[in-house]
Amino acid sequence: MAITAAQVKELRDRTNAGMMDCKKALGETAGDMEAAVDWLRTKGLAAAAKKAGRTAAEGLVGVAVDGTKGAVVEINSETDFVAKNERFQEFVADVAKLALGVDGDIEALAAATYPSGGTVAEKLTDNIATIGENQSLRRTATVSVDQGAVVSYVHNAAAPGMGKIGVLVALEGDADTATLEALGKQLAMHIAAANPLALDADGLDADMIEREREIAKAKAMESGKPENIAEKMVEGSIAKFKKENALLSQLFVMDNKTPIADVVASAAKEAGKSITLKAFERFQLGEGIEKEESDFAAEVAAAAGVSA
């Protein structure tokens, strides 16, 4: 099948592999994007990307906290200009607060009553007509604790409670509020930077682990090592993947040596109270959304000799 410039560009964006390597990978896998990513990784030509696709959508991620519950929402727009619009920012703030009551149900959020009347979906339609640009209510999630604190953090905030990365951290325990808030802020900043995929190793997606295992097996086979050594290489790769992608085993970005589980335990010991990291949510604007850039695709076509 003919490999298009757009396919080459998408694979290059997702893997940072060379243009010709991307073209070859797509050729070897009959244009299957996911298989091409795995092919490049097996050959050692691509980094182990965590995200499902290139982050490209505009808009804002908004967070809201009420007592021991927090909510995060993502609302997209066509351009970054809209994200700076006061009307759009007010809408994001209002929707984040409403999200506290829907427990992650995006349809229920769309149907929720908006403060000025009508539903969230109707207000969104009105905003589209008024601002003159398409917008969408993409996703929402909540975290909560019975006793303790939920702490929010927005990286590079465009306005209070909203920006391009929003994080919620749920800390269960009987430590004082100031202690939980300080610890939660540090953990949230770590989560924003390190992008863990689950709270602990058991929470990592089983299909993802299996995919990593198949890639590790292919690499081990290509190494030419004896079977018993190859098996140890595979298990070592999986153990490393779990450690690097589960929050509790990640090394704290503040010192790059202390596991997050130990950071929490140390804070609890110092406070003389119980503290458990119960849950977290991390939304990054545009995760998994691909936005076309036709000019660059034409550049790839010229260099790679494929059809645009």
Side-chain angles (χ1 to χ4, degrees):
M1 63 172 290
I3 304 302
T4 68
Q7 287 176 297
V8 174
K9 176 189 175 300
E10 180 181 351
L11 185 57
R12 186 185 185 196
D13 287 339
R14 290 183 58 176
T15 64
N16 290 321
M19 192 182 302
M20 298 311 296
D21 289 326
C22 290
K23 181 183 176 185
K24 183 176 181 181
L26 287 163
E28 291 287 336
T29 58
D32 185 316
M33 189 62 62
E34 296 302 323
V37 171
D38 290 349
W39 187 91
L40 286 168
R41 291 181 58 195
T42 297
K43 301 298 181 183
L45 299 172
K50 295 177 183 177
K51 58 186 179 179
R54 184 168 61 87
T55 302
E58 302 298 342
L60 287 169
V61 170
V63 297
V65 174
D66 183 14
T68 55
K69 188 171 187 177
V72 57
V73 298
E74 180 182 355
I75 302 177
N76 297 123
S77 61
E78 291 183 53
T79 66
D80 185 53
F81 178 77
V82 169
K84 300 171 185 176
N85 181 289
E86 289 186 9
R87 182 188 182 100
F88 183 75
Q89 291 181 353
E90 180 181 357
F91 178 69
V92 172
D94 288 340
V95 172
K97 292 174 186 175
L98 291 171
L100 288 163
V102 302
D103 293 326
D105 187 332
I106 194 68
E107 292 183 1
L109 182 57
T113 301
Y114 195 75
S116 61
T119 66
V120 168
E122 289 168 344
K123 180 63 175 179
L124 181 65
T125 300
D126 181 54
N127 281 351
I128 293 170
T130 303
I131 296 174
E133 182 173 308
N134 191 33
Q135 298 153 48
S136 64
L137 184 65
R138 187 183 181 208
R139 55 178 173 159
T140 183
T142 59
V143 298
S144 63
V145 293
D146 294 325
Q147 179 184 13
V150 170
V151 181
S152 66
Y153 169 71
V154 174
H155 184 65
N156 288 341
M162 63 190 77
K164 293 193 174 184
I165 298 178
V167 177
L168 297 172
V169 175
L171 294 170
E172 188 90 54
D174 56 5
D176 63 90
T177 300
T179 295
L180 294 174
E181 289 282 347
L183 175 61
K185 180 67 176 295
Q186 287 190 321
L187 294 176
M189 292 175 70
H190 168 92
I191 292 166
N195 192 15
L197 302 179
L199 181 63
D200 53 32
D202 290 340
L204 290 168
D205 182 73
D207 291 338
M208 181 188 300
I209 296 296
E210 186 57 31
R211 178 177 172 182
E212 291 299 319
R213 188 178 299 279
E214 292 303 315
I215 291 170
K217 284 180 180 178
K219 286 183 177 180
M221 289 176 62
E222 289 199 352
S223 72
K225 300 288 186 183
E227 185 176 347
N228 63 324
I229 300 298
E231 289 177 359
K232 291 180 180 179
M233 289 172 62
V234 171
E235 293 310 312
S237 293
I238 296 302
K240 182 173 183 289
F241 178 83
K242 290 180 177 180
K243 180 180 179 181
E244 292 179 345
N245 289 283
L247 175 57
L248 290 173
S249 57
Q250 285 184 328
L251 299 182
F252 192 30
V253 294
M254 302 293 185
D255 63 15
N256 202 34
K257 65 179 181 180
T258 308
I260 292 298
D262 291 349
V263 172
V264 177
S266 177
K269 182 177 180 181
E270 185 176 340
K273 300 287 185 177
S274 65
I275 303 176
T276 301
L277 177 51
K278 181 181 177 182
F280 76 92
E281 286 290 343
R282 179 189 187 276
F283 277 18
Q284 182 166 340
L285 183 66
E287 285 175 316
I289 298 177
E290 181 70 20
K291 185 164 66 176
E292 294 181 4
E293 295 181 38
S294 56
D295 288 345
F296 188 77
E299 176 189 328
V300 173
V306 295
S307 57

